[in-house]
């Protein structure tokens, strides 16, 4: 169980390094697509170095008037 936990932590650290290298931590995300892209890049971990470039597009519903 400790090995699995360590592997997950290492996976997420590698994803965080990939997001940092892409410049995603330069400022606060401006919308949900930017925040989702940062999150999915971190979750993708080492896959980022195998050609995966995850992008998220989302539109939040506008409040009713």
């Amino acid at each position: 169980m400790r090995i699995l936990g360590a592997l997950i932590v290492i996976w997420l650290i590698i994803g965080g390094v990939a997001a940092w290298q892409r410049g995603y931590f330069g400022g606060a995300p401006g919308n949900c697509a930017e925040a989702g892209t940062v999150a999915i890049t971190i979750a993708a971990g080492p896959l980022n170095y195998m050609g995966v470039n995850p992008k998220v597009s989302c539109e939040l519903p506008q409040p009713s008037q």
Side-chain angles (χ1 to χ4, degrees), residues 36-51:
T37 299
V38 171
I40 199 71
T41 299
I42 293 171
L47 298 176
N48 290 294
Y49 296 104
M50 294 179 204

Side-chain angles (χ1 to χ4, degrees), residues 27-38 56-60:
N31 56 33
C32 69
E34 291 176 9
T37 299
V38 171
V56 174
S57 61
C58 61
E59 294 181 23
L60 295 175

Side-chain angles (χ1 to χ4, degrees), residues 1-15:
M1 197 60 151
R2 286 183 182 174
I3 293 173
L4 180 61
L7 288 175
I8 291 172
V9 168
I10 291 168
W11 182 279
L12 294 175
I13 288 172
I14 293 170

Side-chain angles (χ1 to χ4, degrees), residues 12-13 15-29 35 38-39 41-42:
L12 294 175
I13 288 172
V17 169
W20 174 74
Q21 287 176 336
R22 292 181 180 166
Y24 292 159
F25 296 127
V38 171
T41 299
I42 293 171

